[in-house]
Amino acid sequence: MYFLINFFTILIGLHIYKNIWPYFKVNKIPTGAGIILLLCIVSAFYLNNELYSIKFGVSLLILSILTLIYYIDDLRSLSVFIRILLQIIMGIAISISFFFDLFSTNIYILLFILILVSFLSLLLTNTINFYDGADLNISVFAILNFLILFYVFSSDKDIQILINLSLIFFIAFSLLNYKKDNLYFGDAGSFFLAGIFLIFILYAILEQNLKILYLLTTLSFPILDVIYVILYRIYLKESLHTRHFHQIYQVVQRKQIKWLYLLIQPINTGLSIILILFLSSLGINETFSIIISCSFISFNFYFLLRYFLFNSHKTE
């Protein structure tokens, strides 16, 4: 019953959002649906706020405010400088929310954390944003990540409330996103989702929950894809601000093999988990198994796929 009530509420909300989009007088495909996810998460949090720490609440509040500002990019577009600035501010603000105590104990460690999380904020936001460019791609990405987070926080029922709601959102969103040029998650949604991942990661670190490393099974491949494409575009002397078609799923789409690009992320995640389980069965430390498995599988699978797609293009 919980699933059905939330599912139909979100689905109706998405339909309403899509139908009122023309009234914004924005001449482009409906986007910014991620703002509905923000409303879902914030509503669930404040209905159960006694279950969460002050640090968690403050970070979510800051993220929500910054996301509403970022939403301007879906409506009228923001400059590249402003978008990058907001992404860095998000990383700094969320870090301070969780590690404020380090101000008085070790300012150098705090500075290191601020730099690291700000960089991760830039990386995650742009990775998620790039993966919003094809039907259902962002849904597959998000569902895989939230399933991993469900496992990571399997003993934390309070966090699972937010994870379950996020899963329901993306299942409902899929029913609209599978149609071509129907509804996109949007820049603000990508920004908010990146922030949610950062909050979960930092929360897990504070709780000394090393299972959070399992997120590497879902994040390592798309992050590698984004880094490769950025370096490749620099090599080609392309402007990083212009539209491109170098992402791995875009290359697969050009082959006109329907829906194949949706299988790439699940296959990579599945292979990584299988190797982790195998190495762990040999008595190898779980943390070491995760890092080695995700690095090995993602790197080799990614470049083998690139090689295959490149050579198949040459033979056409």
Side-chain angles (χ1 to χ4, degrees):
M1 185 61 71
Y2 169 84
F3 173 86
L4 290 176
I5 291 173
N6 284 289
F7 175 79
F8 284 109
T9 301
I10 292 170
L11 190 60
I12 291 169
L14 288 169
H15 271 289
I16 292 172
Y17 180 85
K18 181 178 178 295
N19 289 327
I20 66 173
W21 179 258
Y23 294 99
F24 294 149
K25 297 182 179 179
V26 181
N27 296 320
K28 58 181 178 179
I29 298 165
T31 187
I35 208 74
I36 304 297
L37 176 63
L38 180 152
L39 295 175
C40 293
I41 296 296
V42 169
S43 298
F45 173 82
Y46 284 103
L47 286 173
N48 305 277
N49 65 82
E50 71 280 356
L51 302 177
Y52 304 97
S53 67
I54 294 176
K55 292 179 179 179
F56 195 98
V58 169
S59 62
L60 183 59
L61 175 62
I62 293 170
L63 173 61
S64 300
I65 293 170
L66 291 174
T67 301
L68 291 175
I69 298 172
Y70 208 94
Y71 185 59
I72 297 171
D73 194 49
D74 286 315
L75 298 175
R76 294 288 181 268
S77 85
L78 294 168
S79 69
V80 174
F81 173 77
I82 295 297
R83 292 202 303 270
I84 291 175
L85 181 62
L86 287 171
Q87 291 165 26
I88 293 172
I89 290 173
M90 175 177 73
I92 292 173
I94 291 176
S95 300
I96 292 175
S97 299
F98 280 99
F99 297 102
F100 183 79
D101 296 341
L102 289 176
F103 265 120
S104 56
T105 56
N106 198 322
I107 190 69
Y108 296 108
I109 292 179
L110 179 61
L111 286 174
F112 174 76
I113 292 172
L114 294 181
I115 294 170
L116 185 63
V117 177
S118 296
F119 176 73
L120 188 56
S121 174
L122 287 166
L123 204 54
L124 281 176
T125 303
N126 289 286
T127 297
I128 296 168
N129 196 28
F130 285 141
Y131 270 62
D132 188 31
D135 305 329
L136 289 178
N137 205 37
I138 189 68
S139 294
V140 171
F141 170 86
I143 289 171
L144 282 173
N145 277 280
F146 281 113
L147 285 174
I148 293 296
L149 285 170
F150 186 86
Y151 168 73
V152 170
F153 295 105
S154 56
S155 60
D156 194 327
K157 303 304 178 186
D158 304 333
I159 296 297
Q160 281 195 350
I161 293 173
L162 304 181
I163 294 172
N164 287 335
L165 193 57
S166 299
L167 282 168
I168 294 170
F169 170 86
F170 280 102
I171 293 171
F173 177 67
S174 299
L175 297 182
L176 283 80
N177 186 237
Y178 83 94
K179 296 179 181 178
K180 184 176 177 59
D181 296 338
N182 189 43
L183 181 64
Y184 286 119
F185 192 56
D187 294 337
S190 300
F191 180 83
F192 181 73
L193 186 57
I196 286 294
F197 287 161
L198 285 178
I199 289 172
F200 284 148
I201 290 168
L202 296 184
Y203 177 79
I205 291 172
L206 281 181
E207 295 293 313
Q208 298 182 352
N209 184 354
L210 292 180
K211 286 183 178 179
I212 195 66
L213 286 172
Y214 274 96
L215 266 186
L216 289 173
T217 63
T218 50
L219 291 179
S220 56
F221 185 94
I223 287 176
L224 175 61
D225 188 24
V226 168
I227 293 173
Y228 172 84
V229 169
I230 289 173
L231 293 176
Y232 182 61
R233 296 189 73 194
I234 291 173
Y235 170 75
L236 294 177
K237 297 181 180 179
E238 291 182 358
S239 171
L240 297 179
H241 305 154
T242 57
R243 186 178 177 83
H244 69 90
F245 299 95
H246 301 305
Q247 300 292 150
I248 197 76
Y249 74 86
Q250 294 170 323
V251 178
V252 173
Q253 278 185 313
R254 289 206 299 273
K255 301 295 177 182
Q256 297 181 344
I257 308 174
K258 195 173 181 64
W259 305 117
L260 180 61
Y261 63 90
L262 295 177
L263 298 178
I264 296 173
Q265 295 179 72
I267 290 172
N268 183 80
T269 299
L271 290 174
S272 298
I273 291 173
I274 289 170
L275 186 55
I276 290 168
L277 294 174
F278 174 72
L279 292 177
S280 297
S281 70
L282 297 178
I284 298 174
N285 177 271
E286 185 180 33
T287 299
F288 185 73
S289 296
I290 294 170
I291 295 172
I292 291 298
S293 299
C294 294
S295 301
F296 178 80
I297 294 295
S298 294
F299 184 86
N300 285 281
F301 182 53
Y302 181 78
F303 286 105
L304 279 173
L305 198 56
R306 281 274 179 191
Y307 177 79
F308 171 76
L309 291 169
F310 177 75
N311 281 307
S312 64
H313 174 72
K314 282 178 27 176
T315 57
E316 291 175 356

